[in-house]
Amino acid sequence: MEVKFQLNGKPAAADIEPDCMLLDLLRDMGCYSVKRGCDTTNCGLCTVLVNGKPSLSCAMPAARAEGKEIVTLEGLQEEAEDFGRFLAKEGAEQCGYCSPGFIMNVIAMMRELKDPSIEEIKEYLAGNLCRCSGYEGQMRAIQNYMKEKGGQ
């Protein structure tokens, strides 16, 4: 079956099998920031934006992308690099494996929430699994990023 959608602002189409998951389709299309971590929707590594909302691509059949706008980290290069500098500045970048999904959620949160509390930030990011740290550095980086960018 053919699926047509927008990928990082450009028209995209692909012939897929009915059981194809969005994660696999995106990786086949060269979006290597979308990572396979658990295949059980528990880690957030495969997070992409679907019509502006964070979605776990490992749990979304590729056929559901029909007519939708899909954005991966490759489509948010400038914003991702900007926030990535804050992670580094705060000493919060660890091994980097969880970073793409984490950054996708931070960017989505910045667009959706104005002046969130620490509890709201933690709730928004609850689906991201980092095996390296306790998130203290990442929370500092998010707060400083939001202050500088006017979100908090």
Side-chain angles (χ1 to χ4, degrees), residues 51-142:
N51 291 342
K53 298 289 183 193
S55 299
L56 299 172
S57 63
C58 75
M60 182 176 170
R64 287 190 49 215
E66 178 67 36
K68 294 190 170 71
E69 179 184 358
I70 309 296
V71 179
T72 68
L73 201 59
E74 287 85 355
L76 298 172
Q77 230 41 97
E78 194 172 305
E79 287 175 270
E81 288 174 4
D82 192 33
F83 179 66
R85 281 190 287 277
F86 274 84
L87 284 176
K89 182 176 159 185
E90 295 295 331
E93 85 285 50
Q94 303 290 325
C95 76
Y97 193 69
C98 70
S99 294
F102 181 76
I103 291 171
M104 292 297 293
N105 275 308
V106 169
I107 290 170
M109 180 182 63
M110 287 287 297
R111 293 176 177 179
E112 185 178 330
L113 302 179
K114 299 296 179 208
D115 196 24
S117 67
I118 294 295
E119 291 75 28
E120 288 173 311
I121 294 170
K122 287 179 180 178
E123 184 178 325
Y124 203 97
L125 301 174
N128 288 94
L129 177 63
C130 174
R131 294 175 175 101
C132 297
S133 74
Y135 295 105
E136 291 305 313
Q138 289 94 335
M139 291 300 293
R140 243 188 347 269
I142 291 168

